[in-house]
Amino acid sequence: MKLDVNALGTFYRMAREGAGLAAGRLTHMTGVETQVGVTKLNFMRGREIQRDFEDSTEKVGVRVKLTGAIEGYSMIVFERENAFRIVETLLAESDEAEIDVDGEFDEMTRSAATEVGHIMNSGFIDGWADVLETVIDVSTPEFVQGATAEPFFGDVSEAPDDDDLALLFQSRIETVGTEVGFSHYLFPKRESMSALLDRLRTSGGIEYDKLDGFDRMAERGAEEVAKTATTLTGIDTSVEIRRLNFVSLEAIPEQVADQKLVGVAFEFDGMPSGYLLFLFDEESAHEIVDAMVPMEVDEDGFGEMGTSAIKELGNIMASGFLDGWANVLDTTIDHSTPEFIHDMGAAAVDPVIIQLGENQEFAFVFDTVVVADGREFDCEVYAIPDEADLERALNNLDVDRIEETPTTAEFQEVNNS
Amino acid sequence: MKTYGTEPGAPTPVQVGISELVVSDGDDTLKSYGLGSCLAIALYDPDSDIGGLAHVMLPDGDTADNSDRKPGKYADTAIRALLRRMVEQGASYTTVKAKIAGGSDMFEFESFGDGVGQRNIAAAKEELEKLGVPLIAEDVGGEYGRTVEFTPGTGTLLVKTADESAENGRVEL
């Protein structure tokens, strides 16, 4: 099984189109304004998907089995509370009894939730069928609920095992003005996916197994960032989220928090080349400055001392991150001197996507979030490599040696020239 | 970002995401968040109160394959698409005016050459000139982000920076 950017691009369009149809139908059904939030293709291991589910919130899912051009399972998942809220809107017009949002699903609310989920699933699936110009058949919907991954896909053989890397479609649909969102998952059968990829591919492509290399890169990079951050600030940090997304370039700034952020940006050069950004919210940035600069710093801004402390931290984290990659890929990657930014988050990201946008429409984004226990230290890391370079780097990768590669990146003095 | 089921005249501003363009009229507000090197292009016809906002990412769509599908992505094709849609809705081509904002150069990376923001500004100006649309106001360049709100009915383009209390924190064009 091989994939290339053209095939992934088609998948991305499928996801967008499907999300649009699903949102439109939800609006039609409930009269509630909806909008399509971030759409992503994620490469995730089975255990990460499970971890995603196990955030101790009760969830409700509506699952259908697909046959035809895509075989596998499609599932709409909402938080239990949100499911109730939508059901409430739906049943508001009939004079039915009050709905107890903390209660259990009864026959009526269960069937209403199933209907909503099914109509949305069908929206997605019709969207894919449109893009692929083909037919996909859908089974009757199945209602599932629980707080762990088990009831949702424990019995789905298509769902990836702990170590299997799965291509996951994730879309958010939000109701305007309220916080009701949904996630959508597609677990395709491997053979069905393979056949689709063969049809959609326009270049030689990357062997699917080499995507393991992606995951290793993401893992090593993230570990190095957390390690260097802890060493330098004395704040105990850990990697909270680490995933590889395939998104359209435009979607990247939209994902960044809509607030003033502090960041450090780099360009890197090698195989691959690209851009690397570390973004902190203001509180975290102040905390870092306090931890790194012994004397009192001006409260409002970051001043010369604060700026240089954050740049230094960024610089060392960048070295660690890229050394992590270079180790996996058995190459060297150099990076520029740090550029400090204290501005709207999206404004920090758009120059990068503009530059890459000259030659590519989509990007693989290595998303990482590093956090600290009990203290403010939220750092989002965006690593966006040049697509052609990345494809080449992965193709050169010898998958067998990944497992053996030790992380040799050491904490080192920065060359701040 | 596309919104489904929006009531016409709803008070919430319509979001114009990257590579999107929206044409509207009257008191509707069109809004683009966090422009760095991207450029906001606002066109309006003061006689008919019809106007539109584009949030462009790249300068040149004529040489790109996908500009038919995404005219709002490029400065040149976005301006033409805005004009066409406005005229379709009843605007008069000859009275249309333009305002632009954005196009910062946030970083000095070697790979960025003369600056990605500057390229967008130059491309927009060139296309407006070519089509004979007067550019009557601009707030472009610099090294900071901007959020813009455009009201077609009044032609007001409100430009805000992250620090609204700063000297250039809030500019009305």
Side-chain angles (χ1 to χ4, degrees), chain A residues 20 34 250 267 275 339 343 348 350 354-355 361, chain B residues 4 19 36-37 70 107-108 110-111 116 119 144-145:
Chain A
T34 58
E250 290 96 323
E267 61 181 333
Y275 301 91
E339 293 258 346
D343 210 319
D350 86 5
I354 289 174
Q355 182 62 28
E361 201 176 333
Chain B
Y4 297 84
S19 295
S37 302
K70 283 187 176 173
F107 306 122
E108 286 175 24
E110 229 176 86
S111 55
V116 288
R119 295 203 289 270
Y144 50 88

mmCIF file with all atom_site columns, all heavy atoms in Angstrom, chain A residues 20 34 250 267 275 339 343 348 350 354-355 361, chain B residues 4 19 36-37 70 107-108 110-111 116 119 144-145:
data_model
loop_
_atom_site.group_PDB
_atom_site.id
_atom_site.type_symbol
_atom_site.label_atom_id
_atom_site.label_alt_id
_atom_site.label_comp_id
_atom_site.label_asym_id
_atom_site.label_entity_id
_atom_site.label_seq_id
_atom_site.pdbx_PDB_ins_code
_atom_site.Cartn_x
_atom_site.Cartn_y
_atom_site.Cartn_z
_atom_site.occupancy
_atom_site.B_iso_or_equiv
_atom_site.pdbx_formal_charge
_atom_site.auth_seq_id
_atom_site.auth_comp_id
_atom_site.auth_asym_id
_atom_site.auth_atom_id
_atom_site.pdbx_PDB_model_num
ATOM 1   N N   . GLY A 1 20  ? -19.259 19.448 5.181  1.00 0.00 ? 20  GLY A N   1
ATOM 2   C CA  . GLY A 1 20  ? -20.179 20.484 4.711  1.00 0.00 ? 20  GLY A CA  1
ATOM 3   C C   . GLY A 1 20  ? -21.597 19.949 4.568  1.00 0.00 ? 20  GLY A C   1
ATOM 4   O O   . GLY A 1 20  ? -22.559 20.563 5.051  1.00 0.00 ? 20  GLY A O   1
ATOM 5   N N   . THR A 1 34  ? -25.000 26.044 11.976 1.00 0.00 ? 34  THR A N   1
ATOM 6   C CA  . THR A 1 34  ? -23.799 25.235 12.207 1.00 0.00 ? 34  THR A CA  1
ATOM 7   C C   . THR A 1 34  ? -22.667 25.687 11.308 1.00 0.00 ? 34  THR A C   1
ATOM 8   O O   . THR A 1 34  ? -22.890 26.321 10.278 1.00 0.00 ? 34  THR A O   1
ATOM 9   C CB  . THR A 1 34  ? -24.055 23.744 11.895 1.00 0.00 ? 34  THR A CB  1
ATOM 10  O OG1 . THR A 1 34  ? -24.473 23.647 10.527 1.00 0.00 ? 34  THR A OG1 1
ATOM 11  C CG2 . THR A 1 34  ? -25.092 23.145 12.798 1.00 0.00 ? 34  THR A CG2 1
ATOM 12  N N   . GLU A 1 250 ? -4.343  26.423 4.466  1.00 0.00 ? 250 GLU A N   1
ATOM 13  C CA  . GLU A 1 250 ? -5.207  27.451 5.046  1.00 0.00 ? 250 GLU A CA  1
ATOM 14  C C   . GLU A 1 250 ? -5.731  27.062 6.422  1.00 0.00 ? 250 GLU A C   1
ATOM 15  O O   . GLU A 1 250 ? -6.078  27.910 7.225  1.00 0.00 ? 250 GLU A O   1
ATOM 16  C CB  . GLU A 1 250 ? -6.426  27.711 4.143  1.00 0.00 ? 250 GLU A CB  1
ATOM 17  C CG  . GLU A 1 250 ? -6.116  28.402 2.852  1.00 0.00 ? 250 GLU A CG  1
ATOM 18  C CD  . GLU A 1 250 ? -5.950  27.423 1.704  1.00 0.00 ? 250 GLU A CD  1
ATOM 19  O OE1 . GLU A 1 250 ? -5.404  26.328 1.938  1.00 0.00 ? 250 GLU A OE1 1
ATOM 20  O OE2 . GLU A 1 250 ? -6.355  27.764 0.588  1.00 0.00 ? 250 GLU A OE2 1
ATOM 21  N N   . GLU A 1 267 ? 13.371  28.842 10.521 1.00 0.00 ? 267 GLU A N   1
ATOM 22  C CA  . GLU A 1 267 ? 13.330  28.067 9.287  1.00 0.00 ? 267 GLU A CA  1
ATOM 23  C C   . GLU A 1 267 ? 14.420  27.017 9.429  1.00 0.00 ? 267 GLU A C   1
ATOM 24  O O   . GLU A 1 267 ? 15.438  27.260 10.071 1.00 0.00 ? 267 GLU A O   1
ATOM 25  C CB  . GLU A 1 267 ? 13.544  28.940 8.040  1.00 0.00 ? 267 GLU A CB  1
ATOM 26  C CG  . GLU A 1 267 ? 14.863  29.673 7.961  1.00 0.00 ? 267 GLU A CG  1
ATOM 27  C CD  . GLU A 1 267 ? 14.992  30.526 6.703  1.00 0.00 ? 267 GLU A CD  1
ATOM 28  O OE1 . GLU A 1 267 ? 14.353  30.199 5.693  1.00 0.00 ? 267 GLU A OE1 1
ATOM 29  O OE2 . GLU A 1 267 ? 15.738  31.509 6.747  1.00 0.00 ? 267 GLU A OE2 1
ATOM 30  N N   . TYR A 1 275 ? 9.640   24.844 8.340  1.00 0.00 ? 275 TYR A N   1
ATOM 31  C CA  . TYR A 1 275 ? 9.518   25.867 9.376  1.00 0.00 ? 275 TYR A CA  1
ATOM 32  C C   . TYR A 1 275 ? 9.067   25.244 10.684 1.00 0.00 ? 275 TYR A C   1
ATOM 33  O O   . TYR A 1 275 ? 8.338   24.249 10.695 1.00 0.00 ? 275 TYR A O   1
ATOM 34  C CB  . TYR A 1 275 ? 8.515   26.947 8.942  1.00 0.00 ? 275 TYR A CB  1
ATOM 35  C CG  . TYR A 1 275 ? 8.949   27.589 7.651  1.00 0.00 ? 275 TYR A CG  1
ATOM 36  C CD1 . TYR A 1 275 ? 8.524   27.085 6.423  1.00 0.00 ? 275 TYR A CD1 1
ATOM 37  C CD2 . TYR A 1 275 ? 9.848   28.647 7.665  1.00 0.00 ? 275 TYR A CD2 1
ATOM 38  C CE1 . TYR A 1 275 ? 8.968   27.639 5.227  1.00 0.00 ? 275 TYR A CE1 1
ATOM 39  C CE2 . TYR A 1 275 ? 10.310  29.207 6.476  1.00 0.00 ? 275 TYR A CE2 1
ATOM 40  C CZ  . TYR A 1 275 ? 9.861   28.697 5.264  1.00 0.00 ? 275 TYR A CZ  1
ATOM 41  O OH  . TYR A 1 275 ? 10.327  29.233 4.097  1.00 0.00 ? 275 TYR A OH  1
ATOM 42  N N   . GLU A 1 339 ? 13.414  33.835 15.641 1.00 0.00 ? 339 GLU A N   1
ATOM 43  C CA  . GLU A 1 339 ? 12.688  35.095 15.455 1.00 0.00 ? 339 GLU A CA  1
ATOM 44  C C   . GLU A 1 339 ? 11.608  35.144 16.525 1.00 0.00 ? 339 GLU A C   1
ATOM 45  O O   . GLU A 1 339 ? 10.780  34.246 16.626 1.00 0.00 ? 339 GLU A O   1
ATOM 46  C CB  . GLU A 1 339 ? 12.031  35.133 14.070 1.00 0.00 ? 339 GLU A CB  1
ATOM 47  C CG  . GLU A 1 339 ? 13.009  35.192 12.927 1.00 0.00 ? 339 GLU A CG  1
ATOM 48  C CD  . GLU A 1 339 ? 13.134  36.595 12.334 1.00 0.00 ? 339 GLU A CD  1
ATOM 49  O OE1 . GLU A 1 339 ? 12.277  37.446 12.635 1.00 0.00 ? 339 GLU A OE1 1
ATOM 50  O OE2 . GLU A 1 339 ? 14.095  36.823 11.579 1.00 0.00 ? 339 GLU A OE2 1
ATOM 51  N N   . ASP A 1 343 ? 2.296   38.515 19.222 1.00 0.00 ? 343 ASP A N   1
ATOM 52  C CA  . ASP A 1 343 ? 1.259   39.053 18.347 1.00 0.00 ? 343 ASP A CA  1
ATOM 53  C C   . ASP A 1 343 ? 0.102   38.055 18.274 1.00 0.00 ? 343 ASP A C   1
ATOM 54  O O   . ASP A 1 343 ? 0.116   37.030 18.948 1.00 0.00 ? 343 ASP A O   1
ATOM 55  C CB  . ASP A 1 343 ? 1.856   39.282 16.954 1.00 0.00 ? 343 ASP A CB  1
ATOM 56  C CG  . ASP A 1 343 ? 1.186   40.438 16.206 1.00 0.00 ? 343 ASP A CG  1
ATOM 57  O OD1 . ASP A 1 343 ? -0.046  40.563 16.283 1.00 0.00 ? 343 ASP A OD1 1
ATOM 58  O OD2 . ASP A 1 343 ? 1.901   41.198 15.541 1.00 0.00 ? 343 ASP A OD2 1
ATOM 59  N N   . ALA A 1 348 ? 1.236   34.894 13.183 1.00 0.00 ? 348 ALA A N   1
ATOM 60  C CA  . ALA A 1 348 ? 2.575   34.311 13.254 1.00 0.00 ? 348 ALA A CA  1
ATOM 61  C C   . ALA A 1 348 ? 2.717   33.125 12.317 1.00 0.00 ? 348 ALA A C   1
ATOM 62  O O   . ALA A 1 348 ? 3.810   32.766 11.895 1.00 0.00 ? 348 ALA A O   1
ATOM 63  C CB  . ALA A 1 348 ? 2.868   33.867 14.682 1.00 0.00 ? 348 ALA A CB  1
ATOM 64  N N   . ASP A 1 350 ? 0.704   32.622 9.380  1.00 0.00 ? 350 ASP A N   1
ATOM 65  C CA  . ASP A 1 350 ? 0.382   32.780 7.960  1.00 0.00 ? 350 ASP A CA  1
ATOM 66  C C   . ASP A 1 350 ? 1.578   33.058 7.030  1.00 0.00 ? 350 ASP A C   1
ATOM 67  O O   . ASP A 1 350 ? 1.581   32.589 5.898  1.00 0.00 ? 350 ASP A O   1
ATOM 68  C CB  . ASP A 1 350 ? -0.849  33.676 7.736  1.00 0.00 ? 350 ASP A CB  1
ATOM 69  C CG  . ASP A 1 350 ? -0.589  35.163 7.661  1.00 0.00 ? 350 ASP A CG  1
ATOM 70  O OD1 . ASP A 1 350 ? 0.565   35.575 7.690  1.00 0.00 ? 350 ASP A OD1 1
ATOM 71  O OD2 . ASP A 1 350 ? -1.573  35.928 7.545  1.00 0.00 ? 350 ASP A OD2 1
ATOM 72  N N   . ILE A 1 354 ? 2.160   30.920 3.579  1.00 0.00 ? 354 ILE A N   1
ATOM 73  C CA  . ILE A 1 354 ? 2.240   31.645 2.310  1.00 0.00 ? 354 ILE A CA  1
ATOM 74  C C   . ILE A 1 354 ? 3.488   31.200 1.548  1.00 0.00 ? 354 ILE A C   1
ATOM 75  O O   . ILE A 1 354 ? 3.437   30.910 0.353  1.00 0.00 ? 354 ILE A O   1
ATOM 76  C CB  . ILE A 1 354 ? 2.280   33.169 2.562  1.00 0.00 ? 354 ILE A CB  1
ATOM 77  C CG1 . ILE A 1 354 ? 0.909   33.645 3.046  1.00 0.00 ? 354 ILE A CG1 1
ATOM 78  C CG2 . ILE A 1 354 ? 2.708   33.915 1.315  1.00 0.00 ? 354 ILE A CG2 1
ATOM 79  C CD1 . ILE A 1 354 ? 0.874   35.093 3.456  1.00 0.00 ? 354 ILE A CD1 1
ATOM 80  N N   . GLN A 1 355 ? 4.596   31.137 2.277  1.00 0.00 ? 355 GLN A N   1
ATOM 81  C CA  . GLN A 1 355 ? 5.848   30.752 1.610  1.00 0.00 ? 355 GLN A CA  1
ATOM 82  C C   . GLN A 1 355 ? 5.735   29.333 1.052  1.00 0.00 ? 355 GLN A C   1
ATOM 83  O O   . GLN A 1 355 ? 6.082   29.072 -0.091 1.00 0.00 ? 355 GLN A O   1
ATOM 84  C CB  . GLN A 1 355 ? 7.005   30.873 2.604  1.00 0.00 ? 355 GLN A CB  1
ATOM 85  C CG  . GLN A 1 355 ? 8.365   30.559 2.020  1.00 0.00 ? 355 GLN A CG  1
ATOM 86  C CD  . GLN A 1 355 ? 8.751   31.513 0.891  1.00 0.00 ? 355 GLN A CD  1
ATOM 87  O OE1 . GLN A 1 355 ? 8.324   32.665 0.855  1.00 0.00 ? 355 GLN A OE1 1
ATOM 88  N NE2 . GLN A 1 355 ? 9.545   31.023 -0.050 1.00 0.00 ? 355 GLN A NE2 1
ATOM 89  N N   . GLU A 1 361 ? -0.171  22.667 -1.740 1.00 0.00 ? 361 GLU A N   1
ATOM 90  C CA  . GLU A 1 361 ? -1.505  23.065 -1.311 1.00 0.00 ? 361 GLU A CA  1
ATOM 91  C C   . GLU A 1 361 ? -1.803  22.525 0.087  1.00 0.00 ? 361 GLU A C   1
ATOM 92  O O   . GLU A 1 361 ? -2.590  23.067 0.821  1.00 0.00 ? 361 GLU A O   1
ATOM 93  C CB  . GLU A 1 361 ? -2.516  22.486 -2.312 1.00 0.00 ? 361 GLU A CB  1
ATOM 94  C CG  . GLU A 1 361 ? -3.829  23.184 -2.325 1.00 0.00 ? 361 GLU A CG  1
ATOM 95  C CD  . GLU A 1 361 ? -4.765  22.616 -3.408 1.00 0.00 ? 361 GLU A CD  1
ATOM 96  O OE1 . GLU A 1 361 ? -4.274  22.081 -4.441 1.00 0.00 ? 361 GLU A OE1 1
ATOM 97  O OE2 . GLU A 1 361 ? -5.971  22.687 -3.212 1.00 0.00 ? 361 GLU A OE2 1
ATOM 98  N N   . TYR B 2 4   ? -23.646 27.487 7.826  1.00 0.00 ? 4   TYR B N   1
ATOM 99  C CA  . TYR B 2 4   ? -24.870 26.984 7.235  1.00 0.00 ? 4   TYR B CA  1
ATOM 100 C C   . TYR B 2 4   ? -26.051 27.515 8.005  1.00 0.00 ? 4   TYR B C   1
ATOM 101 O O   . TYR B 2 4   ? -26.035 27.542 9.232  1.00 0.00 ? 4   TYR B O   1
ATOM 102 C CB  . TYR B 2 4   ? -24.867 25.456 7.245  1.00 0.00 ? 4   TYR B CB  1
ATOM 103 C CG  . TYR B 2 4   ? -23.750 24.927 6.416  1.00 0.00 ? 4   TYR B CG  1
ATOM 104 C CD1 . TYR B 2 4   ? -22.483 24.795 6.941  1.00 0.00 ? 4   TYR B CD1 1
ATOM 105 C CD2 . TYR B 2 4   ? -23.949 24.635 5.071  1.00 0.00 ? 4   TYR B CD2 1
ATOM 106 C CE1 . TYR B 2 4   ? -21.428 24.360 6.169  1.00 0.00 ? 4   TYR B CE1 1
ATOM 107 C CE2 . TYR B 2 4   ? -22.914 24.197 4.297  1.00 0.00 ? 4   TYR B CE2 1
ATOM 108 C CZ  . TYR B 2 4   ? -21.658 24.061 4.847  1.00 0.00 ? 4   TYR B CZ  1
ATOM 109 O OH  . TYR B 2 4   ? -20.622 23.637 4.065  1.00 0.00 ? 4   TYR B OH  1
ATOM 110 N N   . SER B 2 19  ? -8.119  32.487 2.059  1.00 0.00 ? 19  SER B N   1
ATOM 111 C CA  . SER B 2 19  ? -8.465  32.027 0.706  1.00 0.00 ? 19  SER B CA  1
ATOM 112 C C   . SER B 2 19  ? -9.953  32.141 0.400  1.00 0.00 ? 19  SER B C   1
ATOM 113 O O   . SER B 2 19  ? -10.404 31.638 -0.609 1.00 0.00 ? 19  SER B O   1
ATOM 114 C CB  . SER B 2 19  ? -8.045  30.571 0.440  1.00 0.00 ? 19  SER B CB  1
ATOM 115 O OG  . SER B 2 19  ? -6.659  30.467 0.475  1.00 0.00 ? 19  SER B OG  1
ATOM 116 N N   . GLY B 2 36  ? -1.338  38.135 8.982  1.00 0.00 ? 36  GLY B N   1
ATOM 117 C CA  . GLY B 2 36  ? 0.080   38.448 9.107  1.00 0.00 ? 36  GLY B CA  1
ATOM 118 C C   . GLY B 2 36  ? 0.534   38.958 7.760  1.00 0.00 ? 36  GLY B C   1
ATOM 119 O O   . GLY B 2 36  ? 0.361   40.132 7.421  1.00 0.00 ? 36  GLY B O   1
ATOM 120 N N   . SER B 2 37  ? 1.062   38.048 6.963  1.00 0.00 ? 37  SER B N   1
ATOM 121 C CA  . SER B 2 37  ? 1.471   38.438 5.616  1.00 0.00 ? 37  SER B CA  1
ATOM 122 C C   . SER B 2 37  ? 0.336   38.313 4.606  1.00 0.00 ? 37  SER B C   1
ATOM 123 O O   . SER B 2 37  ? 0.466   38.722 3.460  1.00 0.00 ? 37  SER B O   1
ATOM 124 C CB  . SER B 2 37  ? 2.648   37.580 5.161  1.00 0.00 ? 37  SER B CB  1
ATOM 125 O OG  . SER B 2 37  ? 3.714   37.721 6.060  1.00 0.00 ? 37  SER B OG  1
ATOM 126 N N   . LYS B 2 70  ? -10.322 28.024 -6.327 1.00 0.00 ? 70  LYS B N   1
ATOM 127 C CA  . LYS B 2 70  ? -10.126 28.888 -5.162 1.00 0.00 ? 70  LYS B CA  1
ATOM 128 C C   . LYS B 2 70  ? -9.680  30.280 -5.585 1.00 0.00 ? 70  LYS B C   1
ATOM 129 O O   . LYS B 2 70  ? -8.533  30.678 -5.344 1.00 0.00 ? 70  LYS B O   1
ATOM 130 C CB  . LYS B 2 70  ? -9.030  28.287 -4.267 1.00 0.00 ? 70  LYS B CB  1
ATOM 131 C CG  . LYS B 2 70  ? -9.455  27.120 -3.438 1.00 0.00 ? 70  LYS B CG  1
ATOM 132 C CD  . LYS B 2 70  ? -8.310  26.764 -2.505 1.00 0.00 ? 70  LYS B CD  1
ATOM 133 C CE  . LYS B 2 70  ? -8.650  25.657 -1.556 1.00 0.00 ? 70  LYS B CE  1
ATOM 134 N NZ  . LYS B 2 70  ? -7.471  25.230 -0.775 1.00 0.00 ? 70  LYS B NZ  1
ATOM 135 N N   . PHE B 2 107 ? 8.609   37.835 9.693  1.00 0.00 ? 107 PHE B N   1
ATOM 136 C CA  . PHE B 2 107 ? 9.908   37.199 9.936  1.00 0.00 ? 107 PHE B CA  1
ATOM 137 C C   . PHE B 2 107 ? 10.896  37.546 8.830  1.00 0.00 ? 107 PHE B C   1
ATOM 138 O O   . PHE B 2 107 ? 10.505  37.748 7.689  1.00 0.00 ? 107 PHE B O   1
ATOM 139 C CB  . PHE B 2 107 ? 9.768   35.670 9.969  1.00 0.00 ? 107 PHE B CB  1
ATOM 140 C CG  . PHE B 2 107 ? 8.744   35.176 10.943 1.00 0.00 ? 107 PHE B CG  1
ATOM 141 C CD1 . PHE B 2 107 ? 7.687   34.396 10.519 1.00 0.00 ? 107 PHE B CD1 1
ATOM 142 C CD2 . PHE B 2 107 ? 8.849   35.485 12.291 1.00 0.00 ? 107 PHE B CD2 1
ATOM 143 C CE1 . PHE B 2 107 ? 6.737   33.930 11.411 1.00 0.00 ? 107 PHE B CE1 1
ATOM 144 C CE2 . PHE B 2 107 ? 7.903   35.028 13.196 1.00 0.00 ? 107 PHE B CE2 1
ATOM 145 C CZ  . PHE B 2 107 ? 6.847   34.249 12.753 1.00 0.00 ? 107 PHE B CZ  1
ATOM 146 N N   . GLU B 2 108 ? 12.166  37.581 9.213  1.00 0.00 ? 108 GLU B N   1
ATOM 147 C CA  . GLU B 2 108 ? 13.191  37.814 8.187  1.00 0.00 ? 108 GLU B CA  1
ATOM 148 C C   . GLU B 2 108 ? 13.921  36.505 7.898  1.00 0.00 ? 108 GLU B C   1
ATOM 149 O O   . GLU B 2 108 ? 15.082  36.342 8.248  1.00 0.00 ? 108 GLU B O   1
ATOM 150 C CB  . GLU B 2 108 ? 14.188  38.864 8.672  1.00 0.00 ? 108 GLU B CB  1
ATOM 151 C CG  . GLU B 2 108 ? 13.613  40.252 8.636  1.00 0.00 ? 108 GLU B CG  1
ATOM 152 C CD  . GLU B 2 108 ? 14.573  41.278 9.240  1.00 0.00 ? 108 GLU B CD  1
ATOM 153 O OE1 . GLU B 2 108 ? 15.789  41.009 9.264  1.00 0.00 ? 108 GLU B OE1 1
ATOM 154 O OE2 . GLU B 2 108 ? 14.077  42.318 9.679  1.00 0.00 ? 108 GLU B OE2 1
ATOM 155 N N   . GLU B 2 110 ? 15.647  33.743 5.426  1.00 0.00 ? 110 GLU B N   1
ATOM 156 C CA  . GLU B 2 110 ? 16.352  33.764 4.145  1.00 0.00 ? 110 GLU B CA  1
ATOM 157 C C   . GLU B 2 110 ? 15.447  33.304 3.002  1.00 0.00 ? 110 GLU B C   1
ATOM 158 O O   . GLU B 2 110 ? 15.409  33.888 1.938  1.00 0.00 ? 110 GLU B O   1
ATOM 159 C CB  . GLU B 2 110 ? 17.547  32.826 4.245  1.00 0.00 ? 110 GLU B CB  1
ATOM 160 C CG  . GLU B 2 110 ? 18.841  33.422 3.781  1.00 0.00 ? 110 GLU B CG  1
ATOM 161 C CD  . GLU B 2 110 ? 19.961  32.422 4.028  1.00 0.00 ? 110 GLU B CD  1
ATOM 162 O OE1 . GLU B 2 110 ? 20.189  31.557 3.148  1.00 0.00 ? 110 GLU B OE1 1
ATOM 163 O OE2 . GLU B 2 110 ? 20.549  32.502 5.108  1.00 0.00 ? 110 GLU B OE2 1
ATOM 164 N N   . SER B 2 111 ? 14.661  32.251 3.278  1.00 0.00 ? 111 SER B N   1
ATOM 165 C CA  . SER B 2 111 ? 13.810  31.678 2.231  1.00 0.00 ? 111 SER B CA  1
ATOM 166 C C   . SER B 2 111 ? 12.698  32.628 1.812  1.00 0.00 ? 111 SER B C   1
ATOM 167 O O   . SER B 2 111 ? 12.076  32.439 0.773  1.00 0.00 ? 111 SER B O   1
ATOM 168 C CB  . SER B 2 111 ? 13.209  30.355 2.717  1.00 0.00 ? 111 SER B CB  1
ATOM 169 O OG  . SER B 2 111 ? 12.518  30.555 3.937  1.00 0.00 ? 111 SER B OG  1
ATOM 170 N N   . VAL B 2 116 ? 7.212   37.942 1.952  1.00 0.00 ? 116 VAL B N   1
ATOM 171 C CA  . VAL B 2 116 ? 5.990   37.372 1.390  1.00 0.00 ? 116 VAL B CA  1
ATOM 172 C C   . VAL B 2 116 ? 4.844   38.370 1.429  1.00 0.00 ? 116 VAL B C   1
ATOM 173 O O   . VAL B 2 116 ? 3.959   38.368 0.582  1.00 0.00 ? 116 VAL B O   1
ATOM 174 C CB  . VAL B 2 116 ? 5.618   36.055 2.106  1.00 0.00 ? 116 VAL B CB  1
ATOM 175 C CG1 . VAL B 2 116 ? 6.554   34.952 1.730  1.00 0.00 ? 116 VAL B CG1 1
ATOM 176 C CG2 . VAL B 2 116 ? 5.626   36.222 3.626  1.00 0.00 ? 116 VAL B CG2 1
ATOM 177 N N   . ARG B 2 119 ? 4.998   40.950 -1.551 1.00 0.00 ? 119 ARG B N   1
ATOM 178 C CA  . ARG B 2 119 ? 4.581   40.384 -2.843 1.00 0.00 ? 119 ARG B CA  1
ATOM 179 C C   . ARG B 2 119 ? 3.069   40.457 -3.000 1.00 0.00 ? 119 ARG B C   1
ATOM 180 O O   . ARG B 2 119 ? 2.560   40.732 -4.083 1.00 0.00 ? 119 ARG B O   1
ATOM 181 C CB  . ARG B 2 119 ? 5.058   38.924 -2.961 1.00 0.00 ? 119 ARG B CB  1
ATOM 182 C CG  . ARG B 2 119 ? 6.564   38.768 -2.988 1.00 0.00 ? 119 ARG B CG  1
ATOM 183 C CD  . ARG B 2 119 ? 6.991   37.467 -3.658 1.00 0.00 ? 119 ARG B CD  1
ATOM 184 N NE  . ARG B 2 119 ? 6.713   36.259 -2.887 1.00 0.00 ? 119 ARG B NE  1
ATOM 185 C CZ  . ARG B 2 119 ? 7.565   35.716 -2.010 1.00 0.00 ? 119 ARG B CZ  1
ATOM 186 N NH1 . ARG B 2 119 ? 8.730   36.300 -1.768 1.00 0.00 ? 119 ARG B NH1 1
ATOM 187 N NH2 . ARG B 2 119 ? 7.259   34.617 -1.361 1.00 0.00 ? 119 ARG B NH2 1
ATOM 188 N N   . TYR B 2 144 ? 3.658   43.438 12.164 1.00 0.00 ? 144 TYR B N   1
ATOM 189 C CA  . TYR B 2 144 ? 2.672   43.045 13.163 1.00 0.00 ? 144 TYR B CA  1
ATOM 190 C C   . TYR B 2 144 ? 1.390   42.551 12.496 1.00 0.00 ? 144 TYR B C   1
ATOM 191 O O   . TYR B 2 144 ? 1.126   42.836 11.335 1.00 0.00 ? 144 TYR B O   1
ATOM 192 C CB  . TYR B 2 144 ? 2.352   44.231 14.083 1.00 0.00 ? 144 TYR B CB  1
ATOM 193 C CG  . TYR B 2 144 ? 2.008   45.501 13.355 1.00 0.00 ? 144 TYR B CG  1
ATOM 194 C CD1 . TYR B 2 144 ? 0.703   45.784 12.962 1.00 0.00 ? 144 TYR B CD1 1
ATOM 195 C CD2 . TYR B 2 144 ? 3.007   46.403 13.017 1.00 0.00 ? 144 TYR B CD2 1
ATOM 196 C CE1 . TYR B 2 144 ? 0.399   46.943 12.274 1.00 0.00 ? 144 TYR B CE1 1
ATOM 197 C CE2 . TYR B 2 144 ? 2.716   47.567 12.310 1.00 0.00 ? 144 TYR B CE2 1
ATOM 198 C CZ  . TYR B 2 144 ? 1.410   47.826 11.944 1.00 0.00 ? 144 TYR B CZ  1
ATOM 199 O OH  . TYR B 2 144 ? 1.118   48.958 11.238 1.00 0.00 ? 144 TYR B OH  1
ATOM 200 N N   . GLY B 2 145 ? 0.621   41.800 13.258 1.00 0.00 ? 145 GLY B N   1
ATOM 201 C CA  . GLY B 2 145 ? -0.613  41.226 12.728 1.00 0.00 ? 145 GLY B CA  1
ATOM 202 C C   . GLY B 2 145 ? -1.777  42.201 12.801 1.00 0.00 ? 145 GLY B C   1
ATOM 203 O O   . GLY B 2 145 ? -1.737  43.175 13.538 1.00 0.00 ? 145 GLY B O   1
#
